[in-house]
Amino acid sequence: MADLWRLQRDPSAFTQERHLLYYNVVLIDALLQQRSYGILEFKDGVVFLRQNAANDPEAIAAWLAYRQMLNPPIQNIHQELNPTSPLS
């Protein structure tokens, strides 16, 4: 389970929380790309994952919409942490 809403609600307030948001999103992206975890449920910025599980269609659709909304802050945080590296 990852509670991204808590980290995302005021990302400009705390550098550590901004970095946690970034690292959690990058980790979730990697787990989903590797298909080692699936999203069982996504609600209010909280992601419920299970190892070796298929994605629930509604949950993955909700996650992808939320993930799209996070693109601008994630790109900004990436630039803070890696000023010479583009986000892949």
Side-chain angles (χ1 to χ4, degrees):
M1 178 179 77
D3 185 355
L4 301 176
W5 179 85
R6 184 184 66 79
L7 298 173
Q8 190 258 335
R9 66 181 163 184
D10 192 8
S12 62
F14 301 100
T15 300
Q16 184 176 10
E17 287 195 351
R18 288 173 49 84
H19 295 173
L20 284 172
L21 173 65
Y22 172 81
Y23 290 122
N24 277 292
V25 169
V26 168
L27 175 63
I28 292 167
D29 285 347
L31 293 172
L32 293 175
Q33 184 177 11
Q34 296 166 3
R35 297 182 181 189
S36 55
Y37 280 76
I39 296 180
L40 300 181
E41 188 173 347
F42 178 80
K43 185 175 181 182
D44 299 327
V46 178
V47 182
F48 293 92
L49 301 150
R50 177 172 286 156
Q51 190 173 16
N52 300 321
N55 290 315
D56 175 83
E58 290 180 23
I60 192 70
W63 160 253
L64 292 173
Y66 185 78
R67 178 65 181 86
Q68 186 68 29
M69 184 216 36
L70 288 177
N71 272 342
I74 292 300
Q75 289 175 349
N76 291 339
I77 298 165
H78 178 81
Q79 285 304 113
E80 283 176 22
L81 296 170
N82 310 286
T84 61
S85 172
L87 185 60
S88 52

